[in-house]
Amino acid sequence: MSQYIAPIRDMQFVLHELAGLGELANLPNCEEATPDVVDAIMEEGGKFASGVLAPLNKVGDQNGAIWNNGTVATAPGWKEAYQQFAESGWTAIGCPQEFGGQGLPKLVSTPVSEMFKSANLAFSLGPMLTQGAIEALVLRGSDALKAKFLDKMVAGTWTGTMNLTEPQAGSDLAAVRSKAIPQADGSYLISGQKIFITYGEHDMTDNIIHLVLARLPDAPEGVKGISLFVVPKFMVNDDGSLGARNDVHCVSIEHKLGIHASPTCVMSYGDKGGAVGYLVGEANRGLEYMFIMMNEARFSVGLEGLAISERAYQKALQYARERTQGTELGIKGGGKVAIIKHPDVRRMLMTMKAHVEAMRALAYVTAAALDHAHHHADDAERAKAQAFADLMIPVVKGWCTETGIEMASLGVQVHGGMGYIEETGAAQYLRDARISAIYEGTTGIQANDLIGRKMAREGGQTVKAVIGMMRRLDGNLAEAEGGMMGEHVAVVRAALAQGVSALEQAVEYILATFGSDIKAAHVGAVPMLKLMGIVCGGWQMARAVIAAQRKLSEGTGDSNFYKTKIVTARFFAEHVLPHAASYSHTVCKGAGSALTLDEAMF
Amino acid sequence: MSQYIAPIRDMQFVLHELAGLGELANLPNCEEATPDVVDAIMEEGGKFASGVLAPLNKVGDQNGAIWNNGTVATAPGWKEAYQQFAESGWTAIGCPQEFGGQGLPKLVSTPVSEMFKSANLAFSLGPMLTQGAIEALVLRGSDALKAKFLDKMVAGTWTGTMNLTEPQAGSDLAAVRSKAIPQADGSYLISGQKIFITYGEHDMTDNIIHLVLARLPDAPEGVKGISLFVVPKFMVNDDGSLGARNDVHCVSIEHKLGIHASPTCVMSYGDKGGAVGYLVGEANRGLEYMFIMMNEARFSVGLEGLAISERAYQKALQYARERTQGTELGIKGGGKVAIIKHPDVRRMLMTMKAHVEAMRALAYVTAAALDHAHHHADDAERAKAQAFADLMIPVVKGWCTETGIEMASLGVQVHGGMGYIEETGAAQYLRDARISAIYEGTTGIQANDLIGRKMAREGGQTVKAVIGMMRRLDGNLAEAEGGMMGEHVAVVRAALAQGVSALEQAVEYILATFGSDIKAAHVGAVPMLKLMGIVCGGWQMARAVIAAQRKLSEGTGDSNFYKTKIVTARFFAEHVLPHAASYSHTVCKGAGSALTLDEAMF
């Protein structure tokens, strides 16, 4: 059995010293996020993750979800764990108080979400999708719809789903064909097939609330003719009791590489005439609503990359400390040692540790920006925070998930031959991690969003501001160089400066090319995304160095933690940041060779 | 069903224009490798791979090998395919004619081996391990052992295995504990447990010949006390008929991430008193013999990375041509297009294509060096070729397998959500590929071998000679710059020059540090291996550019093929080679941060 211990020390560091939790608690509607409350939530979240969810992770992988004649049985223990999850209030943590939620800031729900994803990714997907459905209803649902559905969804009594994809409409949602026919009573009859529907059917709750994209009969072609509907599995009577079974059914589930316990459903709407649904918001604006929510869903999937990396790191570290193999380099006649003594194993563990910490810092700082964007009293501050979050979300999604796959693979490697054996558990993390770079928009889609909507459309305003923030850090780093770990700080400072220059060059190229040669710009999209990830990760590690150096100078706090943070930042500077220049080169130079060949020549 | 078509055009290009097949056929004992013979072998090999092995690949993955009370049933169709494989002479292709083999050069067996691995990796492992066992017997077996076993192993009537690993002895074979007790008749009684034994038990042949590492009672501790034994599953009578069942049994098989159809066995020797075995070569020299063979086994595993990448590329390319999604960038009002039209999909496909071609060139050139090392009439030429092959084998093993994992993962990505569904087949390549960076020595072990035995021990003589060869290419590239695709050539030339400088710096660091700070050198081992892979791959692509440019100038041959080759080399120069500088930086600077932390601080 592999354990999971929530990395609360590092989470607290990021919350307080990088993401500004204290400042956040001064914003309107965030007052409850006091240090005491946050500490208690983190502790309870960690206990639930370690005690309830983590032990079910392998059970879920081995048993999977099982489809039988339209029903889906979740893995042993799943139902009970879900019940406990809902009863403990975890479904409600980030939801509005108006509907029974706890209304806590994103910055507080984020570490808890990380814990649950680390402990059991397949389990965490149900609540994540429900969260998306809740947001859609909060955002655009009528009062009647809110009254009917929201309280029970927030309480976890019912779960929710997001039904976007169809066989011909994956990355391209403009191709959605499902239909919605208006009825005399104001409802609609929905028909069509949806695929890849996470927790589209299961046995954990007695109702499931589907959010569904479909077209009205008179809708225009393409993206501007898609509307959003809410379609319950069981009709809900006015007194809240359940009514008739609706005409929506799970016709099969997928056999996947990983997240076996998360049922990925093919949903059929309207086989018997039409599933009753209700329009959310205005007609033909469904895709627009989706995009509002999608930002947060993408952020949440980005967290999966961080979460799996943390879990893989913990497991690899434990193995490296326990597994004895070979003798220590340079020690003649010494005995066998734990493999953590071998330089290459240390390199692998440091690679995992450094990436985890950089990803966590970037993700939590982005969560704080989302809170500022929602809650700040000042319009300009809200807009600035939103622009920052908008820029960072494709980076958090794309870079953290791609990195998550690499880190999980490295975790397998630390285990050697044992890593390839399924019983060990390291391989599950790799299998589970692989989906995160695909769903909620592939890495390519994130990268296109990054260079298009988030950079070129606004002439690079936000990314240039971020580059400015990175540059202004140089003074603080120069100052910190004078401190007791100055030698390490100097390395971080130099590497960040080079990384920022590389980033700036690539941004200039994208801005110059996007309008004139859009294909050339897009060849550089994924390299640009990786470049942004690396440099933003390095930026956050540099901020961590400054914070740590300050604490060391003051002589306050756990000096071992802060020293370790500085060394880890240096590792990131020496092993990860150097690739920024390579990616920048590829962004600026790599278009021609990718676009030259005739398709027949591949 | 996913097809596999042997990439014979590119294979022929590499054989003839980069690896010197013509020159090779002039060497003693290589005369049979005439162009006609090689063409015929490639064609037949391709047919067998596509027609017999590829269709079983998914069958094997889904059914796996099944253990039942000591026996192992291979997947449906496996036994018949193996019989056809042996009858067609594929087991004998590279074996000495003296024992019924065809005695063809490594350079000729290598592309055939690539085809079989592409078509069905799990199947190919049985013959690969048998090959290792044959080589051990050819190399060090007594005439009596040769007479008893070799003909039938070469003919494929019996298969062979390599029994090295024990639970406490993985990367560290010095820890082997299995015992061999001498008997009055000159045989030995072997006892102990071996794990991770590929095809240790199966139902494809009526006997299995195990090569086993074990210790004699009076053997010294450590690596110098290990001897090599041959232990047949069934005793073999003097007339070649099978005798009594020997005391070696498969007690279980592993449940693995991939290569499900290849039984990975736990073998128990001597549960009923001892398995009868015969000493191979001299006592206490078993590990030394293993290392001689291991070079070629590692080369063969390196080919797996190439082979899986080729298969993943073919599948991704087919999907990208067929899958319609979205409209073409920059075209207003155009219809839906195949995803190969999207720049990021092209980038992914080009990444796969460029890596495949670079790996193939490096691997085949190394195979040619092994042939020169075996067959050249001149002692000095043999030694030079052996040194080159020795240097390149950890690179081929480490770099091609790590790259194979990345390319298989990219293949999944091209498929989007469908890539995560097991029925699609792309995920199998990723699962199968993952083992190749672990067995026959992990990437870390290869990298340590590279910087230690292959660089530092000889003061960098061979790697410096290789760097010299790379540098001398610059003149030819300068000349080719004047040709019709000169713009592309110029990019390749500049990128190679920078890559070579980066490599040289890193080599100097390793040579300077290995003796004085061995741990620091080893932190850089894997980055060094990746750096070597990238630069050597770029070197071979540059050689390909020169060959292609020559053909284009002459106006001979398929000009589309040669133009494509040059563009592909440019892609490698712009998207892959830039990372050489980053890895070099990490080799030279990255030791401190990896070694500083106290183990408790991880």
Side-chain angles (χ1 to χ4, degrees):
Chain A
M1 180 70 62
S2 119
Q3 288 184 318
Y4 165 74
I5 309 290
I8 290 182
R9 181 66 190 89
D10 195 58
M11 288 174 161
Q12 292 279 21
F13 169 77
V14 176
L15 288 180
H16 291 282
E17 303 188 56
L18 300 181
L21 181 64
E23 188 191 339
L24 189 74
N26 296 329
L27 297 186
N29 297 314
C30 295
E31 302 84 355
E32 292 194 24
T34 60
D36 281 359
V37 168
V38 174
D39 287 355
I41 288 174
M42 303 270 283
E43 196 183 325
E44 288 305 310
K47 272 188 207 164
F48 194 86
S50 302
V52 180
L53 298 182
L56 288 177
N57 193 38
K58 190 184 285 189
V59 175
D61 185 56
Q62 288 173 336
N63 291 273
I66 294 169
W67 184 90
N68 180 22
N69 197 23
T71 68
V72 171
T74 52
W78 231 244
K79 199 172 169 174
E80 296 73 18
Y82 179 79
Q83 207 163 356
Q84 217 180 324
F85 185 84
E87 281 167 7
S88 309
W90 296 118
T91 57
I93 180 171
C95 299
Q97 291 179 318
E98 191 185 346
F99 305 105
Q102 298 174 39
L104 286 162
K106 192 90 181 167
L107 185 56
V108 178
S109 65
T110 291
V112 175
S113 181
E114 183 201 316
M115 292 174 192
F116 296 160
K117 289 169 189 291
S118 282
N120 193 328
L121 186 63
F123 182 92
S124 75
L125 295 175
M128 181 175 88
L129 273 295
T130 303
Q131 189 63 32
I134 290 171
E135 278 163 25
L137 288 171
V138 167
L139 208 64
R140 294 293 183 249
S142 65
D143 289 345
L145 291 180
K146 284 177 179 165
K148 202 165 216 170
F149 297 115
L150 273 178
D151 284 2
K152 291 212 168 130
M153 291 172 79
V154 169
T157 313
W158 300 338
T159 62
T161 70
M162 305 299 291
N163 291 240
L164 287 64
T165 307
E166 299 177 7
Q168 79 295 344
S171 294
D172 179 15
L173 287 172
V176 158
R177 284 190 208 137
S178 290
K179 283 179 189 160
I181 313 290
Q183 302 299 299
D185 66 353
S187 71
Y188 295 79
L189 283 183
I190 314 287
S191 59
Q193 193 188 58
K194 294 287 179 179
I195 62 169
F196 297 160
I197 308 308
T198 299
Y199 283 88
E201 179 60 45
H202 61 77
D203 57 5
M204 302 189 306
T205 58
D206 59 7
N207 205 3
I208 301 172
I209 312 305
H210 304 291
L211 276 281
V212 185
L213 291 182
R215 286 180 186 282
L216 293 168
D218 57 352
E221 284 290 297
V223 294
K224 290 181 179 166
I226 299 173
S227 305
L228 180 63
F229 300 89
V230 56
V231 182
K233 175 178 169 185
F234 284 96
M235 302 307 294
V236 178
N237 300 320
D238 289 342
D239 65 356
S241 64
L242 296 187
R245 181 73 165 83
N246 205 352
D247 188 9
V248 45
H249 294 92
C250 172
V251 295
S252 65
I253 65 173
E254 307 293 352
H255 174 217
K256 308 186 299 296
L257 175 61
I259 51 167
H260 292 162
S262 167
T264 301
C265 302
V266 176
M267 302 299 295
S268 186
Y269 289 83
D271 287 352
K272 298 166 191 160
V276 177
Y278 310 100
L279 183 66
V280 179
E282 295 174 37
N284 296 334
R285 295 184 64 183
L287 212 58
E288 180 192 321
Y289 302 160
M290 278 294 142
F291 268 98
I292 303 174
M293 281 184 304
M294 219 177 268
N295 245 356
E296 304 214 9
R298 287 175 170 181
F299 173 79
S300 192
V301 173
L303 280 186
E304 295 179 3
L306 158 62
I308 287 271
S309 299
E310 170 69 39
R311 184 79 189 264
Y313 171 63
Q314 288 192 17
K315 187 164 184 65
L317 177 58
Q318 187 187 346
Y319 186 79
R321 284 183 167 143
E322 288 170 2
R323 169 71 171 169
T324 295
Q325 195 75 176
T327 55
E328 191 167 348
L329 269 179
I331 310 257
K332 290 269 177 210
K336 306 283 180 190
V337 294
I339 62 172
I340 193 173
K341 294 273 185 204
H342 302 319
D344 187 56
V345 174
R346 290 185 72 105
R347 182 192 61 82
M348 291 193 277
L349 293 172
M350 284 299 296
T351 301
M352 297 175 85
K353 178 174 166 60
H355 275 100
V356 162
E357 294 182 15
M359 288 191 281
R360 182 174 292 129
L362 185 63
Y364 290 15
V365 164
T366 303
L370 285 167
D371 286 322
H372 282 268
H374 292 165
H375 300 298
H376 204 286
D378 183 79
D379 286 355
E381 287 298 318
R382 277 207 309 281
K384 216 175 76 181
Q386 186 68 51
F388 178 84
D390 284 349
L391 177 70
M392 286 303 162
I393 279 168
V395 180
V396 170
K397 168 39 165 111
W399 178 59
C400 294
T401 60
E402 292 283 341
T403 303
I405 298 167
E406 278 177 49
M407 296 307 116
S409 188
L410 214 46
V412 170
Q413 193 70 17
V414 170
H415 287 79
M418 289 307 295
Y420 202 64
I421 306 298
E422 286 287 4
E423 279 76 5
T424 305
Q428 185 193 343
Y429 306 146
L430 175 58
R431 290 188 288 98
D432 286 355
R434 190 65 192 80
I435 188 59
S436 61
I438 297 173
Y439 60 18
E440 287 297 336
T442 62
T443 304
I445 297 286
Q446 303 305 321
N448 293 350
D449 180 54
L450 176 67
I451 65 165
R453 285 190 204 88
K454 309 300 172 63
M455 288 185 178
R457 193 159 71 180
E458 56 160 36
Q461 193 183 331
T462 308
V463 68
K464 284 178 181 172
V466 169
I467 287 172
M469 288 156 77
M470 292 175 178
R471 284 255 158 81
R472 283 195 294 282
L473 219 57
D474 192 66
N476 306 77
L477 288 166
E479 203 177 306
E481 263 185 53
M484 61 191 284
M485 295 188 75
E487 177 197 355
H488 298 289
V489 179
V491 173
V492 172
R493 183 183 171 207
L496 181 64
Q498 289 185 0
V500 175
S501 295
L503 174 61
E504 191 168 44
Q505 264 190 313
V507 167
E508 292 299 344
Y509 172 86
I510 293 291
L511 296 177
T513 320
F514 199 88
S516 59
D517 188 352
I518 192 164
K519 284 189 177 179
H522 278 78
V523 170
V526 168
M528 181 74 201
L529 183 146
K530 292 187 177 177
L531 168 58
M532 270 289 279
I534 287 174
V535 177
C536 291
W539 169 39
Q540 295 305 323
M541 290 306 275
R543 293 185 64 226
V545 163
I546 292 164
Q549 182 69 290
R550 190 180 310 126
K551 285 289 164 70
L552 287 172
S553 312
E554 293 168 6
T556 55
D558 175 357
S559 71
N560 273 339
F561 175 84
Y562 292 113
K563 285 180 188 166
T564 301
K565 181 62 79 176
I566 292 173
V567 172
T568 306
R570 177 175 174 172
F571 183 92
F572 194 90
E574 288 173 339
H575 288 249
V576 185
L577 267 175
H579 291 275
S582 322
Y583 285 122
S584 181
H585 181 92
T586 298
V587 171
C588 299
K589 302 287 185 185
S593 56
L595 297 172
T596 299
L597 291 187
D598 197 83
E599 276 159 41
M601 303 313 298
F602 274 83
Chain B
M1 180 71 63
S2 120
Q3 289 184 317
Y4 166 74
I5 309 290
I8 289 181
R9 181 67 191 88
D10 195 57
M11 288 174 162
Q12 292 278 20
F13 170 76
V14 176
L15 288 180
H16 291 282
E17 302 188 56
L18 300 181
L21 181 63
E23 188 192 340
L24 190 74
N26 297 328
L27 296 187
N29 297 314
C30 295
E31 301 84 355
E32 292 194 25
T34 61
D36 282 359
V37 168
V38 173
D39 287 355
I41 288 173
M42 302 270 283
E43 195 182 326
E44 288 306 311
K47 273 189 207 164
F48 195 86
S50 302
V52 179
L53 298 183
L56 289 177
N57 193 38
K58 191 184 283 188
V59 175
D61 185 56
Q62 288 173 337
N63 291 273
I66 294 169
W67 183 91
N68 180 21
N69 196 24
T71 68
V72 171
T74 52
W78 231 244
K79 198 171 168 173
E80 296 73 17
Y82 179 80
Q83 206 163 357
Q84 217 180 324
F85 186 83
E87 281 166 8
S88 308
W90 295 118
T91 56
I93 180 171
C95 300
Q97 291 178 317
E98 191 185 347
F99 305 105
Q102 297 174 40
L104 285 163
K106 193 88 180 169
L107 185 57
V108 178
S109 64
T110 291
V112 176
S113 180
E114 183 200 316
M115 292 174 193
F116 297 159
K117 289 169 189 291
S118 281
N120 193 328
L121 186 64
F123 181 92
S124 75
L125 296 176
M128 181 176 87
L129 273 293
T130 303
Q131 190 62 34
I134 289 172
E135 278 163 26
L137 287 170
V138 168
L139 208 65
R140 295 293 182 249
S142 64
D143 290 344
L145 292 180
K146 285 177 179 165
K148 202 164 217 169
F149 298 113
L150 274 178
D151 284 1
K152 292 211 167 128
M153 292 172 78
V154 169
T157 313
W158 300 338
T159 64
T161 71
M162 305 298 292
N163 291 241
L164 286 64
T165 307
E166 299 177 7
Q168 79 295 345
S171 295
D172 179 16
L173 288 172
V176 158
R177 283 190 207 136
S178 289
K179 284 180 188 160
I181 312 290
Q183 303 299 300
D185 66 353
S187 71
Y188 295 79
L189 284 183
I190 313 288
S191 60
Q193 193 188 58
K194 294 286 179 178
I195 62 169
F196 297 159
I197 308 309
T198 300
Y199 281 88
E201 179 59 45
H202 61 78
D203 57 4
M204 303 189 305
T205 58
D206 59 6
N207 205 4
I208 301 172
I209 312 304
H210 304 290
L211 276 280
V212 186
L213 291 182
R215 286 181 188 281
L216 293 169
D218 57 352
E221 284 290 297
V223 294
K224 289 180 180 166
I226 299 172
S227 305
L228 181 64
F229 300 88
V230 55
V231 183
K233 175 179 169 185
F234 284 96
M235 302 307 294
V236 178
N237 300 319
D238 289 343
D239 65 355
S241 64
L242 296 187
R245 181 74 165 81
N246 205 353
D247 187 11
V248 44
H249 295 90
C250 171
V251 295
S252 66
I253 66 174
E254 307 292 352
H255 174 218
K256 308 186 299 295
L257 176 60
I259 52 167
H260 292 162
S262 166
T264 301
C265 303
V266 176
M267 302 299 294
S268 187
Y269 289 83
D271 286 351
K272 297 166 190 159
V276 177
Y278 310 100
L279 183 66
V280 178
E282 293 174 37
N284 297 333
R285 295 185 64 183
L287 212 58
E288 181 190 322
Y289 303 159
M290 278 294 141
F291 267 97
I292 302 174
M293 283 184 304
M294 219 178 267
N295 245 357
E296 304 215 8
R298 287 175 170 182
F299 173 80
S300 192
V301 173
L303 281 186
E304 295 179 2
L306 159 62
I308 287 270
S309 300
E310 169 69 40
R311 185 78 189 265
Y313 171 63
Q314 289 192 18
K315 188 166 182 65
L317 177 58
Q318 187 187 345
Y319 186 80
R321 283 182 168 143
E322 289 170 0
R323 169 72 172 169
T324 294
Q325 196 74 177
T327 55
E328 192 168 346
L329 269 180
I331 311 256
K332 289 270 176 207
K336 305 284 181 188
V337 294
I339 62 171
I340 194 173
K341 294 273 186 206
H342 302 320
D344 188 55
V345 173
R346 290 185 73 105
R347 182 193 60 82
M348 290 193 277
L349 293 172
M350 283 300 295
T351 301
M352 297 175 85
K353 178 174 167 60
H355 275 101
V356 162
E357 294 182 16
M359 287 192 280
R360 181 174 292 128
L362 186 63
Y364 290 15
V365 164
T366 303
L370 285 166
D371 286 323
H372 282 268
H374 291 164
H375 300 298
H376 205 287
D378 184 78
D379 286 355
E381 288 297 319
R382 278 207 308 281
K384 216 174 76 180
Q386 186 68 52
F388 178 83
D390 284 349
L391 177 70
M392 287 303 164
I393 280 168
V395 180
V396 169
K397 167 44 165 107
W399 179 59
C400 295
T401 59
E402 292 284 340
T403 304
I405 298 167
E406 279 177 49
M407 296 306 115
S409 187
L410 214 45
V412 170
Q413 192 71 16
V414 170
H415 288 79
M418 290 306 295
Y420 202 64
I421 307 299
E422 286 287 3
E423 279 75 5
T424 305
Q428 185 192 343
Y429 306 147
L430 175 58
R431 290 188 286 98
D432 286 355
R434 190 64 192 81
I435 188 59
S436 62
I438 296 172
Y439 60 17
E440 288 297 337
T442 63
T443 304
I445 296 287
Q446 304 305 320
N448 293 350
D449 179 53
L450 176 67
I451 66 165
R453 284 190 205 87
K454 309 300 173 63
M455 286 185 178
R457 192 159 71 180
E458 56 161 35
Q461 191 183 332
T462 307
V463 68
K464 285 178 180 172
V466 169
I467 288 172
M469 288 157 76
M470 293 174 175
R471 285 253 157 82
R472 281 195 295 281
L473 219 56
D474 191 67
N476 307 77
L477 288 166
E479 204 176 305
E481 264 184 53
M484 60 192 286
M485 296 187 76
E487 178 199 353
H488 298 288
V489 179
V491 173
V492 172
R493 183 184 170 206
L496 181 64
Q498 289 184 1
V500 175
S501 295
L503 174 61
E504 190 168 46
Q505 265 190 311
V507 167
E508 291 299 343
Y509 172 85
I510 294 291
L511 296 177
T513 320
F514 199 87
S516 59
D517 188 352
I518 191 163
K519 284 189 176 177
H522 277 78
V523 171
V526 168
M528 180 75 200
L529 183 146
K530 292 187 176 176
L531 168 58
M532 269 289 280
I534 287 174
V535 177
C536 291
W539 170 40
Q540 295 304 323
M541 290 306 274
R543 293 185 63 225
V545 163
I546 292 164
Q549 182 69 292
R550 191 180 308 128
K551 286 291 164 70
L552 287 172
S553 311
E554 293 166 8
T556 55
D558 174 358
S559 71
N560 274 339
F561 175 84
Y562 292 113
K563 285 179 188 167
T564 301
K565 181 62 79 176
I566 291 173
V567 172
T568 307
R570 177 176 172 171
F571 184 92
F572 194 91
E574 288 172 340
H575 288 248
V576 186
L577 267 174
H579 290 276
S582 323
Y583 285 122
S584 182
H585 182 91
T586 299
V587 170
C588 299
K589 303 286 185 185
S593 55
L595 297 172
T596 298
L597 291 187
D598 198 83
E599 275 159 41
M601 303 313 298
F602 273 84

